[in-house]
Amino acid sequence: MGLAKVVVGCPRLEKLSLKWCREISDIGIDLLSKKCRELRSLDISYLKVGNESLRSISSLEKLEELSMVCCSCIDDDGLELLSKGSSSLQSVDVSRCDHVTSQGLASLIDGHNFLQKLNAADSLHEMGQSFLSNLAKLKDTLTVLRLDGLEVSSSVLLAIGEGCNNLVEIGLSKCNGVTNEGISSLVTRCSHLRVIDLTCCNLLTNNALNSIADNCKMVERLRLESCSSISEKGLEQIATSCPNLKEIDLTDCGVNDAALQHLAKCSELLILKLGLCSSISDKGLAFISSNCGKLIELDLYRCNSITDDGLAALANGCKKIKMLNLCYCNKITDSGLGHLGSLEELTNLELRCLVRITGIGISSVAIGCKNLIEIDLKRCYSVDDAGLWALARYALNLRQLTISYCQVTGLGLCHLLSSLRCLQDVKMVHLSWVSIEGFEMALRAACGRLKKLKMLSGLKSVLSPELLQMLQACGCRIRWVNKPLVYKD
């Protein structure tokens, strides 16, 4: 259906996302702006539209939210046009807009003094004084500010703290120049912060965590990925002072079991990310399991000291887990997966390169985890047809499946794809035991349901053209890859 039909048929439309609709032009946005005068939320992210679209959008008197992520044809002149429109705008997202500068954002703020959310992540190349000065005009309203990827000095963070002390969310991911001093200057003035993203701010130490703990006691989400100079001492302060903590990302921070012992005090914790923290062991999982019963997401990517005993503790204490990443935790066996079978709310399970698990373990998961939506079994070399038959019988809600490098046959693959009516996305590279005929039968059995496939490019020339045309006609996108057969431990 074309945009023209939508806008003519729905003149009272209030919310519309056109994200990735790359055929829409400035003309279409102009028609939308003229016909749908009730619009309050509009997303034009990834469109090729330019400044003329912002001229049209500026006429929407009730518009409150505008997202234009990665609109590379929009620049400061467009933001100037937008600034002359209605003052109703409350949320603007210009992240990854390469031609937007701080000067353009300054002019936007001039025309919209009631902005509550501003996302300029990965857009700005410098922080102009005019932008900093205009931010102060939003002192009473601005609650969310994202500046990811920008060079941010201590003086800039001081200015933000002084001008925007009602912030509840600050995004400083991958910002160069963020120091303990800068964070202290910010948080002593922004005590209402609930979301703090410091991903890859690798100059920070425990002093920054102490400042956050002392001043932002209501913080709920703290992202510290690759902040490798923090330790259990800083996290002890966070755990003690921030009882409402719901999410913490410690990926690649090198934290240990002692840190988890402190974090176990956070009984409201929902999301815990510990990827690449190789010092974490079963002991640390036992600490978390003892008091974090509300946990719904746990990332243990490459925490290769974790064993089946750790999963037993997890399954006993954290029964609400929905998302679990155990990729490359290569000490886990079928016994560990047997414990996971008691996690009835589990929806997403990543088991990549667990070389000790077999179809027996997959059967335990399939039988116990009826809500499973996605499972990744890439490079689980000992998983065979027994695992697929169990998934086919019990995992009836499964939508995404990765079985690349598994020892499955054409018969098992065909039974799986013909049985799972919800399955839409399958990655199956280097299934060496599946014949051409096996692929043909399996894909025909699922034709009409599959939306995404990933297969070896060598199959493209041997599968029947009729089958490939059928898949394409049913809306299935096939990603052909040319990867050598390499086995990894």
Side-chain angles (χ1 to χ4, degrees):
M1 182 185 292
L3 179 60
K5 290 185 178 179
V6 173
V7 300
V8 172
C10 307
R12 300 190 65 80
L13 200 63
E14 293 187 5
K15 185 175 182 179
L16 179 63
S17 175
L18 299 172
K19 188 176 181 179
W20 286 109
C21 297
R22 295 178 66 83
E23 297 303 314
I24 292 176
S25 66
D26 290 333
I27 296 173
I29 299 298
D30 184 55
L31 178 63
L32 170 70
S33 302
K34 289 176 178 176
K35 296 293 184 180
C36 297
R37 305 299 299 168
E38 301 294 316
L39 267 178
R40 296 180 183 275
S41 176
L42 177 61
D43 189 343
I44 58 170
S45 298
Y46 301 96
L47 270 60
K48 299 177 184 178
V49 297
N51 294 335
E52 283 305 309
S53 284
L54 294 193
R55 184 195 300 275
S56 302
I57 290 170
S58 69
S59 69
L60 293 169
E61 297 178 353
K62 297 184 179 181
L63 192 66
E64 298 173 354
E65 299 178 7
L66 177 61
S67 181
M68 37 190 168
V69 178
C70 208
C71 288
S72 56
C73 298
I74 286 172
D75 57 24
D76 290 353
D77 291 339
L79 295 187
E80 176 72 27
L81 292 170
L82 191 62
S83 71
K84 297 175 181 178
S86 167
S87 61
S88 62
L89 208 55
Q90 298 174 13
S91 175
V92 176
D93 188 344
V94 291
S95 54
R96 298 173 62 191
C97 290
D98 294 337
H99 297 103
V100 166
T101 73
S102 59
Q103 186 62 44
L105 287 177
S107 66
L108 178 67
I109 294 172
D110 264 336
H112 298 281
N113 289 330
F114 298 101
L115 275 180
Q116 298 176 14
K117 300 178 181 180
L118 179 58
N119 188 344
D122 303 307
S123 288
L124 307 182
H125 303 291
E126 45 80 32
M127 180 76 76
Q129 186 56 48
S130 59
F131 174 60
L132 282 176
S133 299
N134 279 10
L135 272 181
K137 298 178 181 178
L138 305 176
K139 184 172 185 176
D140 295 330
T141 61
L142 193 67
T143 58
V144 176
L145 178 62
R146 297 206 62 92
L147 300 171
D148 310 20
L150 187 61
E151 184 82 28
V152 177
S153 65
S154 296
S155 59
V156 167
L157 291 178
L158 173 61
I160 291 173
E162 290 177 338
C164 307
N165 49 24
N166 283 319
L167 285 179
V168 297
E169 177 177 345
I170 184 74
L172 299 171
S173 172
K174 300 179 183 178
C175 285
N176 292 325
V178 177
T179 63
N180 293 333
E181 178 188 358
I183 293 300
S184 179
S185 298
L186 176 71
V187 298
T188 53
R189 293 163 176 82
C190 297
S191 59
H192 302 298
L193 280 170
R194 282 175 166 75
V195 181
I196 304 174
D197 189 347
L198 301 173
T199 299
C200 294
C201 294
N202 48 28
L203 299 177
L204 300 180
T205 69
N206 289 333
N207 290 337
L209 297 189
N210 293 340
S211 296
I212 293 171
D214 290 341
N215 296 281
C216 302
K217 299 186 184 299
M218 298 300 291
V219 70
E220 296 179 358
R221 292 154 61 189
L222 185 56
R223 295 169 185 155
L224 301 167
E225 179 180 349
S226 296
C227 294
S228 54
S229 295
I230 66 172
S231 71
E232 66 271 15
K233 292 182 179 179
L235 292 171
E236 180 180 10
Q237 294 299 314
I238 292 292
T240 301
S241 302
C242 307
N244 293 321
L245 192 67
K246 291 180 171 61
E247 174 185 345
I248 187 164
D249 187 346
L250 297 169
T251 303
D252 200 21
C253 287
V255 296
N256 55 22
D257 291 337
L260 297 194
Q261 185 174 15
H262 297 310
L263 289 175
K265 299 174 187 176
C266 303
S267 59
E268 298 299 312
L269 202 61
L270 299 175
I271 299 173
L272 177 59
K273 298 186 178 182
L274 300 168
L276 298 170
C277 293
S278 57
S279 297
I280 298 294
S281 74
D282 295 340
K283 184 178 179 181
L285 282 192
F287 288 135
I288 292 298
S289 302
S290 67
N291 196 45
C292 299
K294 296 182 180 180
L295 203 66
I296 60 172
E297 181 177 347
L298 178 62
D299 186 347
L300 296 170
Y301 174 81
R302 288 192 184 273
C303 294
N304 45 29
S305 295
I306 300 297
T307 73
D308 297 339
D309 291 340
L311 297 190
L314 188 68
N316 185 54
C318 300
K319 294 188 176 296
K320 294 185 179 295
I321 284 186
K322 296 179 182 294
M323 304 177 71
L324 181 60
N325 187 343
L326 297 171
C327 293
Y328 300 94
C329 297
N330 49 28
K331 292 183 179 179
I332 292 172
T333 71
D334 288 337
S335 177
L337 297 193
H339 298 305
L340 296 186
S342 66
L343 299 177
E344 296 180 356
E345 297 187 30
L346 192 67
T347 59
N348 297 67
L349 181 59
E350 298 182 63
L351 302 174
R352 182 171 299 197
C353 216
L354 300 198
V355 295
R356 301 187 184 192
I357 67 172
T358 70
I360 296 173
I362 301 305
S363 297
S364 298
V365 170
I367 292 170
C369 307
K370 296 291 199 309
N371 291 310
L372 204 61
I373 293 174
E374 177 180 358
I375 188 167
D376 185 347
L377 300 172
K378 182 178 180 180
R379 295 189 182 277
C380 295
Y381 302 122
S382 298
V383 170
D384 55 15
D385 284 356
L388 297 197
W389 281 77
L391 289 173
R393 181 173 180 180
Y394 298 106
L396 302 182
N397 295 307
L398 201 64
R399 296 177 191 172
Q400 297 183 51
L401 173 67
T402 302
I403 51 173
S404 299
Y405 299 87
C406 292
Q407 292 187 16
V408 300
T409 70
L411 182 61
L413 184 63
C414 186
H415 180 63
L416 178 81
L417 296 191
S418 63
S419 301
L420 295 179
R421 300 296 173 180
C422 295
L423 194 63
Q424 297 181 350
D425 184 345
V426 184
K427 298 177 179 65
M428 44 184 186
V429 176
H430 284 303
L431 299 186
S432 303
W433 291 31
V434 180
S435 65
I436 303 303
E437 292 76 14
F439 279 113
E440 284 270 350
M441 287 190 299
L443 291 174
R444 287 182 185 278
C447 194
R449 299 193 305 274
L450 293 177
K451 300 302 179 185
K452 292 175 69 176
L453 281 172
K454 183 178 180 181
M455 296 189 294
L456 272 181
S457 56
L459 290 172
K460 190 174 183 179
S461 60
V462 294
L463 291 173
S464 68
E466 176 218 355
L467 171 62
L468 298 180
Q469 289 171 7
M470 283 174 55
L471 288 167
Q472 185 176 11
C474 292
C476 181
R477 290 180 292 149
I478 304 177
R479 181 184 172 193
W480 302 103
V481 295
N482 186 19
K483 292 186 176 181
L485 181 58
V486 177
Y487 287 96
K488 300 178 182 179
D489 294 329

Short mmCIF file of all heavy atoms in Angstrom, two decimals, residues 383-428:
data_model
loop_
_atom_site.label_atom_id
_atom_site.label_comp_id
_atom_site.label_asym_id
_atom_site.label_seq_id
_atom_site.Cartn_x
_atom_site.Cartn_y
_atom_site.Cartn_z
N VAL A 383 25.33 -31.97 18.52
CA VAL A 383 23.87 -31.93 18.44
C VAL A 383 23.43 -32.57 17.13
O VAL A 383 23.90 -32.20 16.05
CB VAL A 383 23.36 -30.48 18.54
CG1 VAL A 383 21.87 -30.41 18.21
CG2 VAL A 383 23.62 -29.92 19.92
N ASP A 384 22.53 -33.53 17.24
CA ASP A 384 22.12 -34.32 16.07
C ASP A 384 20.60 -34.28 15.90
O ASP A 384 19.91 -33.44 16.49
CB ASP A 384 22.62 -35.75 16.19
CG ASP A 384 22.19 -36.40 17.50
OD1 ASP A 384 21.28 -35.85 18.16
OD2 ASP A 384 22.75 -37.45 17.86
N ASP A 385 20.08 -35.23 15.14
CA ASP A 385 18.65 -35.25 14.85
C ASP A 385 17.79 -35.38 16.10
O ASP A 385 16.65 -34.90 16.14
CB ASP A 385 18.33 -36.41 13.90
CG ASP A 385 18.73 -36.12 12.47
OD1 ASP A 385 19.18 -34.99 12.21
OD2 ASP A 385 18.59 -37.03 11.62
N ALA A 386 18.32 -36.03 17.14
CA ALA A 386 17.53 -36.20 18.37
C ALA A 386 17.14 -34.84 18.93
O ALA A 386 16.02 -34.65 19.41
CB ALA A 386 18.33 -36.99 19.40
N GLY A 387 18.07 -33.88 18.86
CA GLY A 387 17.77 -32.53 19.32
C GLY A 387 16.71 -31.86 18.46
O GLY A 387 15.79 -31.19 18.98
N LEU A 388 16.81 -32.05 17.14
CA LEU A 388 15.83 -31.44 16.23
C LEU A 388 14.44 -32.05 16.41
O LEU A 388 13.43 -31.34 16.36
CB LEU A 388 16.28 -31.59 14.77
CG LEU A 388 17.58 -30.91 14.36
CD1 LEU A 388 17.66 -30.81 12.84
CD2 LEU A 388 17.72 -29.52 14.97
N TRP A 389 14.38 -33.36 16.63
CA TRP A 389 13.08 -34.00 16.83
C TRP A 389 12.42 -33.48 18.09
O TRP A 389 11.20 -33.27 18.13
CB TRP A 389 13.25 -35.52 16.89
CG TRP A 389 13.41 -36.13 15.53
CD1 TRP A 389 14.53 -36.12 14.76
CD2 TRP A 389 12.42 -36.82 14.77
NE1 TRP A 389 14.32 -36.74 13.57
CE2 TRP A 389 13.03 -37.20 13.54
CE3 TRP A 389 11.10 -37.17 15.00
CZ2 TRP A 389 12.35 -37.90 12.56
CZ3 TRP A 389 10.42 -37.87 14.01
CH2 TRP A 389 11.03 -38.24 12.80
N ALA A 390 13.22 -33.25 19.13
CA ALA A 390 12.66 -32.70 20.38
C ALA A 390 12.15 -31.29 20.17
O ALA A 390 11.06 -30.92 20.64
CB ALA A 390 13.71 -32.74 21.48
N LEU A 391 12.92 -30.47 19.46
CA LEU A 391 12.48 -29.10 19.18
C LEU A 391 11.19 -29.12 18.35
O LEU A 391 10.27 -28.33 18.58
CB LEU A 391 13.58 -28.33 18.44
CG LEU A 391 14.82 -27.96 19.25
CD1 LEU A 391 15.89 -27.37 18.33
CD2 LEU A 391 14.49 -26.97 20.35
N ALA A 392 11.14 -30.02 17.37
CA ALA A 392 9.97 -30.11 16.50
C ALA A 392 8.72 -30.49 17.28
O ALA A 392 7.60 -30.04 16.97
CB ALA A 392 10.21 -31.13 15.40
N ARG A 393 8.88 -31.29 18.32
CA ARG A 393 7.72 -31.77 19.07
C ARG A 393 7.28 -30.81 20.17
O ARG A 393 6.08 -30.63 20.41
CB ARG A 393 8.03 -33.13 19.69
CG ARG A 393 6.86 -33.70 20.47
CD ARG A 393 7.12 -35.12 20.93
NE ARG A 393 5.98 -35.65 21.68
CZ ARG A 393 5.94 -36.87 22.22
NH1 ARG A 393 6.97 -37.69 22.05
NH2 ARG A 393 4.87 -37.26 22.89
N TYR A 394 8.24 -30.17 20.82
CA TYR A 394 7.91 -29.39 22.03
C TYR A 394 8.07 -27.88 21.88
O TYR A 394 7.35 -27.13 22.54
CB TYR A 394 8.79 -29.86 23.19
CG TYR A 394 8.57 -31.30 23.57
CD1 TYR A 394 9.52 -32.27 23.23
CD2 TYR A 394 7.42 -31.70 24.24
CE1 TYR A 394 9.33 -33.60 23.57
CE2 TYR A 394 7.22 -33.03 24.59
CZ TYR A 394 8.19 -33.98 24.25
OH TYR A 394 8.00 -35.30 24.58
N ALA A 395 9.00 -27.42 21.03
CA ALA A 395 9.27 -25.97 20.93
C ALA A 395 8.39 -25.34 19.87
O ALA A 395 8.87 -24.80 18.86
CB ALA A 395 10.75 -25.72 20.64
N LEU A 396 7.10 -25.38 20.08
CA LEU A 396 6.14 -25.00 19.04
C LEU A 396 6.10 -23.49 18.80
O LEU A 396 5.51 -23.04 17.82
CB LEU A 396 4.75 -25.52 19.41
CG LEU A 396 4.66 -27.04 19.59
CD1 LEU A 396 3.23 -27.46 19.90
CD2 LEU A 396 5.16 -27.77 18.34
N ASN A 397 6.68 -22.69 19.70
CA ASN A 397 6.70 -21.23 19.52
C ASN A 397 8.00 -20.73 18.90
O ASN A 397 8.19 -19.53 18.75
CB ASN A 397 6.49 -20.54 20.87
CG ASN A 397 5.11 -20.81 21.44
OD1 ASN A 397 4.11 -20.59 20.77
ND2 ASN A 397 5.05 -21.29 22.67
N LEU A 398 8.89 -21.65 18.54
CA LEU A 398 10.21 -21.26 18.04
C LEU A 398 10.11 -20.47 16.74
O LEU A 398 9.43 -20.88 15.80
CB LEU A 398 11.06 -22.52 17.82
CG LEU A 398 12.57 -22.32 17.79
CD1 LEU A 398 13.08 -21.83 19.14
CD2 LEU A 398 13.27 -23.62 17.41
N ARG A 399 10.79 -19.31 16.72
CA ARG A 399 10.77 -18.45 15.53
C ARG A 399 12.14 -18.33 14.87
O ARG A 399 12.24 -18.14 13.67
CB ARG A 399 10.27 -17.05 15.91
CG ARG A 399 8.85 -17.02 16.41
CD ARG A 399 8.45 -15.62 16.84
NE ARG A 399 7.18 -15.61 17.55
CZ ARG A 399 6.68 -14.55 18.17
NH1 ARG A 399 7.35 -13.41 18.15
NH2 ARG A 399 5.52 -14.63 18.80
N GLN A 400 13.20 -18.39 15.68
CA GLN A 400 14.56 -18.23 15.13
C GLN A 400 15.42 -19.40 15.59
O GLN A 400 15.43 -19.75 16.76
CB GLN A 400 15.18 -16.92 15.60
CG GLN A 400 14.45 -15.69 15.12
CD GLN A 400 15.14 -14.41 15.54
OE1 GLN A 400 16.34 -14.24 15.33
NE2 GLN A 400 14.39 -13.50 16.15
N LEU A 401 16.17 -19.98 14.63
CA LEU A 401 16.98 -21.14 14.93
C LEU A 401 18.30 -21.08 14.17
O LEU A 401 18.31 -20.80 12.97
CB LEU A 401 16.21 -22.42 14.53
CG LEU A 401 16.97 -23.73 14.61
CD1 LEU A 401 17.30 -24.08 16.06
CD2 LEU A 401 16.17 -24.86 13.96
N THR A 402 19.39 -21.33 14.89
CA THR A 402 20.70 -21.43 14.26
C THR A 402 21.26 -22.82 14.53
O THR A 402 21.45 -23.20 15.70
CB THR A 402 21.67 -20.37 14.82
OG1 THR A 402 21.13 -19.07 14.61
CG2 THR A 402 23.03 -20.46 14.12
N ILE A 403 21.50 -23.59 13.46
CA ILE A 403 22.02 -24.95 13.61
C ILE A 403 23.25 -25.17 12.74
O ILE A 403 23.62 -26.31 12.45
CB ILE A 403 20.94 -26.00 13.27
CG1 ILE A 403 20.29 -25.70 11.91
CG2 ILE A 403 19.90 -26.08 14.36
CD1 ILE A 403 19.34 -26.79 11.45
N SER A 404 23.93 -24.12 12.34
CA SER A 404 25.13 -24.24 11.51
C SER A 404 26.17 -25.12 12.20
O SER A 404 26.40 -25.01 13.41
CB SER A 404 25.72 -22.87 11.25
OG SER A 404 24.80 -22.04 10.55
N TYR A 405 26.76 -26.02 11.41
CA TYR A 405 27.83 -26.94 11.84
C TYR A 405 27.32 -28.09 12.72
O TYR A 405 28.13 -28.87 13.23
CB TYR A 405 28.95 -26.20 12.58
CG TYR A 405 29.65 -25.15 11.77
CD1 TYR A 405 29.17 -23.85 11.72
CD2 TYR A 405 30.80 -25.44 11.05
CE1 TYR A 405 29.81 -22.87 10.98
CE2 TYR A 405 31.46 -24.47 10.30
CZ TYR A 405 30.95 -23.18 10.26
OH TYR A 405 31.60 -22.22 9.53
N CYS A 406 26.02 -28.22 12.92
CA CYS A 406 25.50 -29.33 13.71
C CYS A 406 25.46 -30.62 12.87
O CYS A 406 25.40 -30.56 11.64
CB CYS A 406 24.10 -29.02 14.24
SG CYS A 406 24.06 -27.72 15.47
N GLN A 407 25.45 -31.79 13.53
CA GLN A 407 25.48 -33.07 12.83
C GLN A 407 24.06 -33.58 12.55
O GLN A 407 23.69 -34.69 12.94
CB GLN A 407 26.26 -34.10 13.66
CG GLN A 407 27.73 -33.79 13.76
CD GLN A 407 28.51 -34.93 14.44
OE1 GLN A 407 28.01 -36.05 14.57
NE2 GLN A 407 29.71 -34.64 14.86
N VAL A 408 23.28 -32.75 11.90
CA VAL A 408 21.90 -33.14 11.60
C VAL A 408 21.81 -33.67 10.17
O VAL A 408 22.64 -33.36 9.32
CB VAL A 408 20.94 -31.95 11.78
CG1 VAL A 408 21.00 -31.45 13.22
CG2 VAL A 408 21.28 -30.82 10.82
N THR A 409 20.79 -34.47 9.92
CA THR A 409 20.59 -35.05 8.59
C THR A 409 19.41 -34.38 7.89
O THR A 409 18.67 -33.60 8.49
CB THR A 409 20.31 -36.56 8.68
OG1 THR A 409 19.01 -36.75 9.27
CG2 THR A 409 21.37 -37.26 9.52
N GLY A 410 19.23 -34.71 6.64
CA GLY A 410 18.12 -34.16 5.88
C GLY A 410 16.78 -34.56 6.47
O GLY A 410 15.82 -33.78 6.46
N LEU A 411 16.71 -35.78 7.01
CA LEU A 411 15.46 -36.25 7.60
C LEU A 411 15.09 -35.42 8.83
O LEU A 411 13.95 -34.98 8.99
CB LEU A 411 15.59 -37.72 7.99
CG LEU A 411 14.34 -38.38 8.59
CD1 LEU A 411 13.20 -38.35 7.59
CD2 LEU A 411 14.65 -39.81 9.03
N GLY A 412 16.08 -35.18 9.68
CA GLY A 412 15.82 -34.37 10.88
C GLY A 412 15.46 -32.94 10.52
O GLY A 412 14.54 -32.35 11.11
N LEU A 413 16.17 -32.38 9.53
CA LEU A 413 15.90 -31.00 9.10
C LEU A 413 14.50 -30.89 8.51
O LEU A 413 13.76 -29.93 8.81
CB LEU A 413 16.94 -30.56 8.09
CG LEU A 413 16.87 -29.12 7.61
CD1 LEU A 413 17.11 -28.14 8.76
CD2 LEU A 413 17.89 -28.86 6.49
N CYS A 414 14.11 -31.86 7.69
CA CYS A 414 12.79 -31.83 7.06
C CYS A 414 11.68 -31.93 8.11
O CYS A 414 10.69 -31.21 8.06
CB CYS A 414 12.68 -32.98 6.06
SG CYS A 414 11.15 -32.94 5.10
N HIS A 415 11.87 -32.82 9.07
CA HIS A 415 10.86 -32.97 10.12
C HIS A 415 10.73 -31.69 10.93
O HIS A 415 9.61 -31.26 11.26
CB HIS A 415 11.25 -34.14 11.04
CG HIS A 415 10.27 -34.38 12.15
ND1 HIS A 415 8.96 -34.75 11.92
CD2 HIS A 415 10.40 -34.26 13.49
CE1 HIS A 415 8.33 -34.87 13.07
NE2 HIS A 415 9.19 -34.58 14.05
N LEU A 416 11.85 -31.07 11.23
CA LEU A 416 11.83 -29.82 12.01
C LEU A 416 11.10 -28.72 11.27
O LEU A 416 10.19 -28.07 11.81
CB LEU A 416 13.27 -29.39 12.32
CG LEU A 416 13.41 -28.08 13.10
CD1 LEU A 416 13.20 -28.34 14.59
CD2 LEU A 416 14.77 -27.45 12.87
N LEU A 417 11.50 -28.47 10.01
CA LEU A 417 10.92 -27.34 9.26
C LEU A 417 9.46 -27.57 8.91
O LEU A 417 8.70 -26.61 8.77
CB LEU A 417 11.74 -27.08 7.99
CG LEU A 417 13.19 -26.63 8.20
CD1 LEU A 417 13.79 -26.16 6.88
CD2 LEU A 417 13.31 -25.52 9.23
N SER A 418 9.05 -28.82 8.79
CA SER A 418 7.64 -29.08 8.48
C SER A 418 6.75 -29.00 9.72
O SER A 418 5.55 -28.77 9.62
CB SER A 418 7.48 -30.46 7.84
OG SER A 418 7.88 -31.48 8.74
N SER A 419 7.37 -29.14 10.91
CA SER A 419 6.58 -29.19 12.15
C SER A 419 6.39 -27.84 12.81
O SER A 419 5.35 -27.59 13.42
CB SER A 419 7.24 -30.15 13.15
OG SER A 419 7.35 -31.45 12.63
N LEU A 420 7.39 -26.97 12.73
CA LEU A 420 7.36 -25.71 13.48
C LEU A 420 6.67 -24.63 12.66
O LEU A 420 7.28 -24.01 11.78
CB LEU A 420 8.77 -25.30 13.88
CG LEU A 420 9.48 -26.24 14.86
CD1 LEU A 420 10.88 -25.75 15.18
CD2 LEU A 420 8.66 -26.41 16.14
N ARG A 421 5.42 -24.37 12.96
CA ARG A 421 4.62 -23.43 12.18
C ARG A 421 4.97 -21.98 12.42
O ARG A 421 4.61 -21.11 11.62
CB ARG A 421 3.13 -23.66 12.50
CG ARG A 421 2.63 -25.07 12.18
CD ARG A 421 2.72 -25.34 10.70
NE ARG A 421 2.41 -26.73 10.37
CZ ARG A 421 2.42 -27.20 9.13
NH1 ARG A 421 2.73 -26.40 8.13
NH2 ARG A 421 2.15 -28.47 8.90
N CYS A 422 5.64 -21.68 13.53
CA CYS A 422 6.01 -20.29 13.82
C CYS A 422 7.40 -19.94 13.33
O CYS A 422 7.80 -18.76 13.35
CB CYS A 422 5.93 -20.03 15.33
SG CYS A 422 4.27 -20.16 16.02
N LEU A 423 8.18 -20.93 12.89
CA LEU A 423 9.58 -20.71 12.52
C LEU A 423 9.68 -19.80 11.29
O LEU A 423 9.08 -20.07 10.27
CB LEU A 423 10.26 -22.05 12.25
CG LEU A 423 11.79 -22.04 12.17
CD1 LEU A 423 12.41 -21.60 13.49
CD2 LEU A 423 12.31 -23.42 11.77
N GLN A 424 10.48 -18.73 11.42
CA GLN A 424 10.61 -17.76 10.34
C GLN A 424 12.05 -17.53 9.90
O GLN A 424 12.29 -17.12 8.77
CB GLN A 424 10.02 -16.41 10.77
CG GLN A 424 8.54 -16.43 11.06
CD GLN A 424 8.01 -15.07 11.44
OE1 GLN A 424 8.77 -14.12 11.68
NE2 GLN A 424 6.70 -14.95 11.53
N ASP A 425 13.01 -17.76 10.79
CA ASP A 425 14.41 -17.39 10.53
C ASP A 425 15.30 -18.58 10.87
O ASP A 425 15.36 -19.01 12.03
CB ASP A 425 14.76 -16.17 11.40
CG ASP A 425 16.16 -15.64 11.13
OD1 ASP A 425 16.97 -16.35 10.50
OD2 ASP A 425 16.47 -14.52 11.58
N VAL A 426 15.98 -19.13 9.85
CA VAL A 426 16.85 -20.30 10.07
C VAL A 426 18.22 -20.05 9.47
O VAL A 426 18.33 -19.65 8.30
CB VAL A 426 16.25 -21.58 9.45
CG1 VAL A 426 17.12 -22.78 9.78
CG2 VAL A 426 14.83 -21.81 9.94
N LYS A 427 19.24 -20.27 10.27
CA LYS A 427 20.63 -20.19 9.79
C LYS A 427 21.18 -21.60 9.79
O LYS A 427 21.27 -22.25 10.83
CB LYS A 427 21.45 -19.27 10.70
CG LYS A 427 20.95 -17.83 10.71
CD LYS A 427 21.75 -16.99 11.69
CE LYS A 427 21.27 -15.54 11.70
NZ LYS A 427 19.88 -15.42 12.20
N MET A 428 21.55 -22.09 8.61
CA MET A 428 22.02 -23.48 8.48
C MET A 428 23.17 -23.56 7.48
O MET A 428 22.99 -23.96 6.33
CB MET A 428 20.86 -24.40 8.08
CG MET A 428 19.94 -23.89 7.00
SD MET A 428 18.57 -25.05 6.76
CE MET A 428 17.77 -24.31 5.33
#
